[in-house]
Amino acid sequence: MEEFAAAEKQIADWITTHFTIVILLGVGLLLTIASRGVQLRMLPEMVRAVFGSRQGAKGGISSFQAFAISLAARVGVGNVFGVAAALLLGGPGAIFWMWVVALVGMATAFFEATLAQIFKVRHPDGAFRGGPAYYMKRGMRNRAMARVFAVITVLTCGVVITSVQSNAIAGTLTEAFGEGARQPLEGAGGFSAAQLTVAGLVFVFSAMVIFGGIRTVARVTEWMAPIMALVYVVMVAVICVLNIGQFGTVLGQIFTSAFSPEPLVGGLGGGIMAAMVNGTQRGLFSNEAGQGTAPNAAATATVSHPVRQGLIQSLGVFIDTIVVCTATAFVILIAGAEVWGGQGVNPSNLTTLAVSHELGAWAIVPMAVLVFVLAYSSIIAAYVYSDTNMSFVFGDRAWATWGVRVVCVASATAGALLSLDVVWNAVDIAMAVMTITNLIALVLLMRWGLGALRDYQEQRRAGIADPVFVGEGNPLLPRDVPGRVWKRPKKSRARKPGSAG
């Protein structure tokens, strides 16, 4: 198993070094320049859009619920274990490259969410469906590329990402169970009582929500995602405030290590290439910008204008990486080499050990519960992505709908029992393939996103508080938007096209 994990790691690092870094940052910069820095100049508009996004669902999924689903996937173990893995393998400099990926990724997230809204379709159950597969098919008119991406997404989200999240739950909770519970049981295939208990918990809790469908997921994540993010941020913020005097030192380590040819901090990896590779991999896993998963959630929202959801999703990248991941990195770096260099330290327990080092041993159990909630919400969000793309490939057949639910629950359960290295390296490879495919589509469809952005801005400058998008006869778009979702209303443009049949 170790040899297989090592081979996976080599493949993942090669793809990241030669393709993902160049394409991810290149496309992000291109979209940033083309949109005149939409992620920075419209940051206040993003905040306004989020605070006004809970209304207007009209029986469907609100803009805020769609944001919460994607936030649930973003603010997950990538913020806890992903940052720890980036630091251990890439050194403090990896955090700098996570920031870079996030800042350009905000523009990427804006475009992919906006496109997902433009080319979404209404599902027979009344909800909307959309995402990269839909804008590849309806925008690029490339059915083959759309189907390939959809199949990759079903496998990545339904099998790999769900396994990673539950693996993270197992890694943290088994630490909280105590040494006795971590010993392998006779006749249990080498698994411990702690592992089997966690696998059972994951099965029960994930099945309860996933078998209820997308609307159930939306209702759960609407309150779960913001609360879990807030609790975690408050916890690490307390540690940062108590150690405010070390901020300068930590920032120095991050910036110096980002461009150093050799590791600078004992107990942590490093070197510029290690920092770039691991920062990019973990940054992408954490905030998903450009990966093509979050647009599946963005498309489900009932909004009056696609750009509104694009702005909201862009803000999600900022919250995930610039706020939550940075806070995690500061806590680990503040804890010092006494924690980094400890025996048995790995990505699954480093953040928990750092928090308990600063707050006391009592923090281990709350951290275990918090990680369970973080990862659990990401599991059910990954199900949404899988279900959307399964529907795209096979239609609304009952076997496809229930098949993806069963696979997601089974993969999440199995992930609690798998090797950490095998799972993490698999997700790196899968995400790289998804990301490269999606970024190609974003470049080819860039004019659609720019046209929608200009349409939104012109209406806002005209004093319209809630711009309305019309995809028919719109001179700012390359051509009419296919389908009926954004058709021009017959009586008055005041009616919201986003809620049309």
Side-chain angles (χ1 to χ4, degrees):
M1 188 64 73
E2 290 182 2
E3 292 180 358
F4 180 70
E8 278 187 316
K9 179 64 175 171
Q10 286 185 331
I11 295 172
D13 287 351
W14 187 86
I15 295 174
T16 301
T17 304
H18 293 86
F19 294 100
T20 312
I21 291 177
V22 176
I23 298 175
L24 186 66
L25 298 183
V27 172
L29 287 171
L30 173 64
L31 298 177
T32 297
I33 294 170
S35 64
R36 296 184 295 116
V38 63
Q39 69 268 49
L40 299 178
R41 64 185 178 86
M42 296 191 73
L43 191 59
E45 184 75 6
M46 294 177 189
V47 177
R48 187 191 75 86
V50 168
F51 280 105
S53 63
R54 289 181 65 95
Q55 307 301 321
K58 298 185 181 300
I61 293 175
S62 72
S63 182
F64 183 82
Q65 287 176 323
F67 168 71
I69 290 174
S70 60
L71 184 65
R74 285 191 174 113
V75 183
V77 297
N79 303 88
V80 182
F81 297 167
V83 173
L87 286 171
L88 285 174
L89 300 174
I95 305 305
F96 172 83
W97 294 106
M98 289 182 75
W99 292 341
V100 172
V101 168
L103 288 175
V104 299
M106 288 177 69
T108 307
F110 168 81
F111 274 87
E112 60 183 359
T114 299
L115 290 172
Q117 274 287 327
I118 291 174
F119 296 107
K120 69 184 180 182
V121 299
R122 187 179 287 280
H123 198 256
D125 66 1
F128 290 114
R129 297 289 177 93
Y134 290 83
Y135 55 68
M136 288 172 189
K137 175 185 176 182
R138 307 180 82 224
M140 295 173 57
R141 299 173 178 174
N142 191 327
R143 291 176 177 267
M145 184 177 182
R147 281 184 169 273
V148 168
F149 184 89
V151 170
I152 294 173
T153 303
V154 170
L155 295 175
T156 301
C157 296
V159 178
V160 182
I161 291 181
T162 50
S163 298
V164 167
Q165 304 295 337
S166 62
N167 192 273
I169 294 174
T172 301
L173 289 187
T174 51
E175 290 290 328
F177 273 113
E179 185 63 33
R182 295 198 294 269
Q183 298 301 317
L185 295 174
E186 291 186 14
F191 299 119
S192 65
Q195 286 178 297
L196 294 174
T197 301
V198 171
L201 289 173
V202 169
F203 171 78
V204 171
F205 281 98
S206 59
M208 285 169 55
V209 175
I210 289 175
F211 288 154
I214 289 181
R215 278 200 172 90
T216 302
V217 172
R219 288 193 294 269
V220 172
T221 54
E222 180 179 20
W223 59 266
M224 180 185 290
I227 291 176
M228 73 180 184
L230 180 62
V231 170
Y232 182 69
V233 169
V234 168
M235 183 179 290
V236 296
V238 169
I239 297 175
C240 292
V241 170
L242 293 176
N243 295 273
I244 192 71
Q246 297 187 46
F247 261 47
T249 302
V250 170
L251 285 174
Q253 290 178 346
I254 291 173
F255 283 104
T256 304
S257 175
F259 303 99
S260 172
E262 300 294 337
L264 296 178
V265 183
L268 290 173
I272 185 168
M273 286 308 299
M276 288 180 65
V277 170
N278 288 282
T280 301
Q281 287 177 337
R282 301 282 73 82
L284 177 60
F285 178 70
S286 177
N287 63 50
E288 301 185 46
Q291 182 181 319
T293 47
N296 293 281
T300 63
T302 303
V303 293
S304 61
H305 201 291
V307 166
R308 181 182 181 91
Q309 198 63 27
L311 294 171
I312 290 174
Q313 297 300 121
S314 183
L315 183 64
V317 175
F318 181 88
I319 294 172
D320 173 88
T321 305
I322 306 301
V323 177
V324 184
C325 285
T326 299
T328 301
F330 271 51
V331 169
I332 294 173
L333 292 172
I334 286 170
E338 181 181 345
V339 174
W340 314 329
Q343 189 173 5
V345 172
N346 58 64
S348 70
N349 60 21
L350 177 55
T351 304
T352 300
L353 292 174
V355 171
S356 63
H357 180 269
E358 297 301 313
L359 297 181
W362 65 268
I364 293 179
V365 173
M367 274 296 293
V369 175
L370 183 63
V371 168
F372 181 90
V373 176
L374 286 167
Y376 170 64
S377 63
S378 295
I379 288 172
I380 58 180
Y383 152 70
V384 173
Y385 303 156
S386 298
D387 182 75
T388 297
N389 286 275
M390 192 74 166
S391 175
F392 178 87
V393 177
F394 296 105
D396 302 311
R397 296 177 175 86
W399 69 264
T401 299
W402 282 98
V404 75
R405 293 176 183 179
V406 170
V407 168
C408 286
V409 172
S411 298
T413 305
L417 307 172
L418 296 175
S419 164
L420 181 69
D421 290 339
V422 170
V423 174
W424 275 99
N425 293 334
V427 82
D428 285 336
I429 296 171
M431 287 194 309
V433 175
M434 285 181 63
T435 302
I436 293 169
T437 307
N438 181 53
L439 291 175
I440 292 172
L442 293 185
V443 172
L444 296 176
L445 295 171
M446 182 172 63
R447 288 192 303 157
W448 288 90
L450 292 173
L453 176 59
R454 184 178 171 187
D455 180 73
Y456 182 90
Q457 291 175 309
E458 288 184 356
Q459 292 188 55
R460 288 289 286 141
R461 281 194 290 266
I464 301 174
D466 192 12
V468 175
F469 181 73
V470 176
E472 182 182 26
N474 192 325
L476 300 176
L477 301 176
R479 64 176 189 275
D480 286 352
V481 177
R484 298 179 53 83
V485 174
W486 300 109
K487 284 288 186 183
R488 182 182 297 276
K490 294 181 179 180
K491 294 183 179 180
S492 170
R493 185 175 175 173
R495 180 183 173 188
K496 293 183 179 181
S499 59

